[in-house]
Amino acid sequence: MMSDSPVVGVVGADADAVVAAVESAGGRATAGTAKRVVDESEAVVAVGEPALLAVARTGTDDPVLPVAAGASVRSVPREAVATGVADLVAGDYERAPHPLVDVRVGDRTRATALFDLMLVSAEPAQISEYAVERADDRVARFRADGVVVATPAGSSGYASDAGGPVLAPETDAVAVVPVAPFETDIDHWVLPPEGLSVSVERDETAVHLLADDRVVGPVEPHEPVRVTPAGSIAVAVVATGRSPFPPA
């Protein structure tokens, strides 16, 4: 429960308008980098997708109100900022956990993702061979430009564009979707993230790992990219937040 005059952190572009909305609603605002405002705040407003990702990577337990952060979360449109922020300051919201996943390449590389991670050929339209495994079971092996592993928050983004399902925010699973597969009737899979790994079985070009908006680094053939649950970010769902499901 927040205090009567909560400190609300603001991260992202156009912070001045959000700061004014916080103060107009009776809160105290602080604007700056994700790490700084998370340390100083009881709640956070993340303006834009890059700001939301930066806040998620801090591991904060505070409620986060996304503004103009895309269709992947219940984001408040810019024109409704004043109303959405007023609801946040008043405590008139619900907390909706959105899972995060950790990804590790061997013992040398680690990243955290809110939306998705992807193995993809460094050169466009270059096919490599990929494998998907869970625990001791081989789920699939296929040739494609890449493979994307999407959380529920990310399933309406690139994974959906590649033919995957859109998962409800509360789903305890990820969508695993081949990118431009060589075979036209290839499956996609909805799997628990625990014990999941993907790998490059045969590369015809360099393959990179991406996590959300960042290139993490190269992946060598037969080097497992392991996925594990990494907690969640608490999205503050207010009345003006848009549905995470794409419009018909």
PDB file of all heavy atoms in Angstrom, residues 158-177:
ATOM      1  N   TYR A 158       6.785  -9.885 -32.052  1.00  0.00           N
ATOM      2  CA  TYR A 158       7.426 -10.560 -33.184  1.00  0.00           C
ATOM      3  C   TYR A 158       6.995 -12.013 -33.300  1.00  0.00           C
ATOM      4  O   TYR A 158       6.843 -12.542 -34.402  1.00  0.00           O
ATOM      5  CB  TYR A 158       8.946 -10.469 -33.039  1.00  0.00           C
ATOM      6  CG  TYR A 158       9.653 -10.847 -34.324  1.00  0.00           C
ATOM      7  CD1 TYR A 158       9.844  -9.903 -35.324  1.00  0.00           C
ATOM      8  CD2 TYR A 158      10.093 -12.146 -34.545  1.00  0.00           C
ATOM      9  CE1 TYR A 158      10.452 -10.248 -36.513  1.00  0.00           C
ATOM     10  CE2 TYR A 158      10.716 -12.497 -35.728  1.00  0.00           C
ATOM     11  CZ  TYR A 158      10.893 -11.545 -36.718  1.00  0.00           C
ATOM     12  OH  TYR A 158      11.487 -11.894 -37.892  1.00  0.00           O
ATOM     13  N   ALA A 159       6.778 -12.687 -32.159  1.00  0.00           N
ATOM     14  CA  ALA A 159       6.360 -14.096 -32.212  1.00  0.00           C
ATOM     15  C   ALA A 159       5.029 -14.248 -32.930  1.00  0.00           C
ATOM     16  O   ALA A 159       4.825 -15.188 -33.697  1.00  0.00           O
ATOM     17  CB  ALA A 159       6.261 -14.667 -30.796  1.00  0.00           C
ATOM     18  N   SER A 160       4.104 -13.322 -32.671  1.00  0.00           N
ATOM     19  CA  SER A 160       2.818 -13.363 -33.369  1.00  0.00           C
ATOM     20  C   SER A 160       2.991 -13.097 -34.859  1.00  0.00           C
ATOM     21  O   SER A 160       2.365 -13.755 -35.697  1.00  0.00           O
ATOM     22  CB  SER A 160       1.863 -12.331 -32.750  1.00  0.00           C
ATOM     23  OG  SER A 160       0.631 -12.302 -33.437  1.00  0.00           O
ATOM     24  N   ASP A 161       3.852 -12.138 -35.207  1.00  0.00           N
ATOM     25  CA  ASP A 161       4.129 -11.860 -36.620  1.00  0.00           C
ATOM     26  C   ASP A 161       4.702 -13.084 -37.324  1.00  0.00           C
ATOM     27  O   ASP A 161       4.492 -13.275 -38.526  1.00  0.00           O
ATOM     28  CB  ASP A 161       5.117 -10.696 -36.746  1.00  0.00           C
ATOM     29  CG  ASP A 161       4.527  -9.371 -36.285  1.00  0.00           C
ATOM     30  OD1 ASP A 161       3.280  -9.273 -36.200  1.00  0.00           O
ATOM     31  OD2 ASP A 161       5.305  -8.450 -35.989  1.00  0.00           O
ATOM     32  N   ALA A 162       5.439 -13.931 -36.575  1.00  0.00           N
ATOM     33  CA  ALA A 162       6.033 -15.135 -37.150  1.00  0.00           C
ATOM     34  C   ALA A 162       5.079 -16.326 -37.139  1.00  0.00           C
ATOM     35  O   ALA A 162       5.471 -17.442 -37.516  1.00  0.00           O
ATOM     36  CB  ALA A 162       7.314 -15.497 -36.400  1.00  0.00           C
ATOM     37  N   GLY A 163       3.818 -16.107 -36.701  1.00  0.00           N
ATOM     38  CA  GLY A 163       2.816 -17.169 -36.757  1.00  0.00           C
ATOM     39  C   GLY A 163       2.493 -17.822 -35.436  1.00  0.00           C
ATOM     40  O   GLY A 163       1.744 -18.806 -35.395  1.00  0.00           O
ATOM     41  N   GLY A 164       3.040 -17.302 -34.325  1.00  0.00           N
ATOM     42  CA  GLY A 164       2.812 -17.910 -33.021  1.00  0.00           C
ATOM     43  C   GLY A 164       1.535 -17.433 -32.357  1.00  0.00           C
ATOM     44  O   GLY A 164       0.898 -16.474 -32.807  1.00  0.00           O
ATOM     45  N   PRO A 165       1.132 -18.075 -31.254  1.00  0.00           N
ATOM     46  CA  PRO A 165      -0.089 -17.706 -30.542  1.00  0.00           C
ATOM     47  C   PRO A 165       0.135 -16.507 -29.629  1.00  0.00           C
ATOM     48  O   PRO A 165       1.254 -16.248 -29.181  1.00  0.00           O
ATOM     49  CB  PRO A 165      -0.388 -18.962 -29.722  1.00  0.00           C
ATOM     50  CG  PRO A 165       0.972 -19.523 -29.428  1.00  0.00           C
ATOM     51  CD  PRO A 165       1.807 -19.238 -30.655  1.00  0.00           C
ATOM     52  N   VAL A 166      -0.932 -15.784 -29.348  1.00  0.00           N
ATOM     53  CA  VAL A 166      -0.902 -14.715 -28.357  1.00  0.00           C
ATOM     54  C   VAL A 166      -1.360 -15.310 -27.031  1.00  0.00           C
ATOM     55  O   VAL A 166      -2.461 -15.861 -26.936  1.00  0.00           O
ATOM     56  CB  VAL A 166      -1.804 -13.541 -28.771  1.00  0.00           C
ATOM     57  CG1 VAL A 166      -1.818 -12.468 -27.689  1.00  0.00           C
ATOM     58  CG2 VAL A 166      -1.327 -12.938 -30.093  1.00  0.00           C
ATOM     59  N   LEU A 167      -0.506 -15.214 -26.005  1.00  0.00           N
ATOM     60  CA  LEU A 167      -0.788 -15.808 -24.705  1.00  0.00           C
ATOM     61  C   LEU A 167      -1.399 -14.775 -23.766  1.00  0.00           C
ATOM     62  O   LEU A 167      -0.990 -13.607 -23.763  1.00  0.00           O
ATOM     63  CB  LEU A 167       0.501 -16.346 -24.083  1.00  0.00           C
ATOM     64  CG  LEU A 167       1.320 -17.327 -24.937  1.00  0.00           C
ATOM     65  CD1 LEU A 167       2.579 -17.747 -24.174  1.00  0.00           C
ATOM     66  CD2 LEU A 167       0.493 -18.542 -25.324  1.00  0.00           C
ATOM     67  N   ALA A 168      -2.355 -15.206 -22.959  1.00  0.00           N
ATOM     68  CA  ALA A 168      -2.913 -14.346 -21.927  1.00  0.00           C
ATOM     69  C   ALA A 168      -1.827 -13.988 -20.921  1.00  0.00           C
ATOM     70  O   ALA A 168      -0.920 -14.793 -20.663  1.00  0.00           O
ATOM     71  CB  ALA A 168      -4.076 -15.043 -21.227  1.00  0.00           C
ATOM     72  N   PRO A 169      -1.872 -12.758 -20.341  1.00  0.00           N
ATOM     73  CA  PRO A 169      -0.794 -12.321 -19.445  1.00  0.00           C
ATOM     74  C   PRO A 169      -0.522 -13.271 -18.289  1.00  0.00           C
ATOM     75  O   PRO A 169       0.615 -13.392 -17.843  1.00  0.00           O
ATOM     76  CB  PRO A 169      -1.302 -10.967 -18.935  1.00  0.00           C
ATOM     77  CG  PRO A 169      -2.200 -10.474 -20.023  1.00  0.00           C
ATOM     78  CD  PRO A 169      -2.863 -11.700 -20.587  1.00  0.00           C
ATOM     79  N   GLU A 170      -1.552 -13.955 -17.797  1.00  0.00           N
ATOM     80  CA  GLU A 170      -1.362 -14.826 -16.637  1.00  0.00           C
ATOM     81  C   GLU A 170      -0.869 -16.222 -17.002  1.00  0.00           C
ATOM     82  O   GLU A 170      -0.663 -17.069 -16.122  1.00  0.00           O
ATOM     83  CB  GLU A 170      -2.674 -14.948 -15.856  1.00  0.00           C
ATOM     84  CG  GLU A 170      -3.806 -15.626 -16.606  1.00  0.00           C
ATOM     85  CD  GLU A 170      -4.636 -14.681 -17.479  1.00  0.00           C
ATOM     86  OE1 GLU A 170      -4.184 -13.539 -17.714  1.00  0.00           O
ATOM     87  OE2 GLU A 170      -5.729 -15.091 -17.908  1.00  0.00           O
ATOM     88  N   THR A 171      -0.636 -16.503 -18.283  1.00  0.00           N
ATOM     89  CA  THR A 171      -0.195 -17.828 -18.707  1.00  0.00           C
ATOM     90  C   THR A 171       1.216 -18.130 -18.192  1.00  0.00           C
ATOM     91  O   THR A 171       2.134 -17.334 -18.361  1.00  0.00           O
ATOM     92  CB  THR A 171      -0.193 -17.931 -20.248  1.00  0.00           C
ATOM     93  OG1 THR A 171      -1.482 -17.586 -20.747  1.00  0.00           O
ATOM     94  CG2 THR A 171       0.160 -19.342 -20.699  1.00  0.00           C
ATOM     95  N   ASP A 172       1.382 -19.284 -17.575  1.00  0.00           N
ATOM     96  CA  ASP A 172       2.684 -19.683 -17.041  1.00  0.00           C
ATOM     97  C   ASP A 172       3.427 -20.505 -18.092  1.00  0.00           C
ATOM     98  O   ASP A 172       3.691 -21.698 -17.908  1.00  0.00           O
ATOM     99  CB  ASP A 172       2.488 -20.475 -15.752  1.00  0.00           C
ATOM    100  CG  ASP A 172       3.813 -20.790 -15.059  1.00  0.00           C
ATOM    101  OD1 ASP A 172       4.812 -20.106 -15.360  1.00  0.00           O
ATOM    102  OD2 ASP A 172       3.842 -21.718 -14.228  1.00  0.00           O
ATOM    103  N   ALA A 173       3.734 -19.864 -19.200  1.00  0.00           N
ATOM    104  CA  ALA A 173       4.375 -20.561 -20.319  1.00  0.00           C
ATOM    105  C   ALA A 173       4.965 -19.533 -21.263  1.00  0.00           C
ATOM    106  O   ALA A 173       4.709 -18.323 -21.149  1.00  0.00           O
ATOM    107  CB  ALA A 173       3.361 -21.446 -21.048  1.00  0.00           C
ATOM    108  N   VAL A 174       5.761 -20.022 -22.209  1.00  0.00           N
ATOM    109  CA  VAL A 174       6.309 -19.198 -23.278  1.00  0.00           C
ATOM    110  C   VAL A 174       5.903 -19.796 -24.617  1.00  0.00           C
ATOM    111  O   VAL A 174       5.595 -20.985 -24.714  1.00  0.00           O
ATOM    112  CB  VAL A 174       7.851 -19.088 -23.193  1.00  0.00           C
ATOM    113  CG1 VAL A 174       8.265 -18.330 -21.955  1.00  0.00           C
ATOM    114  CG2 VAL A 174       8.497 -20.473 -23.235  1.00  0.00           C
ATOM    115  N   ALA A 175       5.899 -18.958 -25.638  1.00  0.00           N
ATOM    116  CA  ALA A 175       5.649 -19.420 -27.000  1.00  0.00           C
ATOM    117  C   ALA A 175       6.986 -19.540 -27.720  1.00  0.00           C
ATOM    118  O   ALA A 175       7.798 -18.611 -27.701  1.00  0.00           O
ATOM    119  CB  ALA A 175       4.743 -18.440 -27.735  1.00  0.00           C
ATOM    120  N   VAL A 176       7.233 -20.700 -28.325  1.00  0.00           N
ATOM    121  CA  VAL A 176       8.467 -20.946 -29.074  1.00  0.00           C
ATOM    122  C   VAL A 176       8.093 -21.057 -30.550  1.00  0.00           C
ATOM    123  O   VAL A 176       7.325 -21.940 -30.933  1.00  0.00           O
ATOM    124  CB  VAL A 176       9.162 -22.233 -28.597  1.00  0.00           C
ATOM    125  CG1 VAL A 176      10.469 -22.446 -29.354  1.00  0.00           C
ATOM    126  CG2 VAL A 176       9.418 -22.174 -27.094  1.00  0.00           C
ATOM    127  N   VAL A 177       8.634 -20.152 -31.373  1.00  0.00           N
ATOM    128  CA  VAL A 177       8.155 -20.006 -32.744  1.00  0.00           C
ATOM    129  C   VAL A 177       9.335 -19.923 -33.709  1.00  0.00           C
ATOM    130  O   VAL A 177      10.209 -19.049 -33.552  1.00  0.00           O
ATOM    131  CB  VAL A 177       7.299 -18.725 -32.888  1.00  0.00           C
ATOM    132  CG1 VAL A 177       6.688 -18.643 -34.287  1.00  0.00           C
ATOM    133  CG2 VAL A 177       6.201 -18.673 -31.819  1.00  0.00           C
TER     134      VAL A 177
END
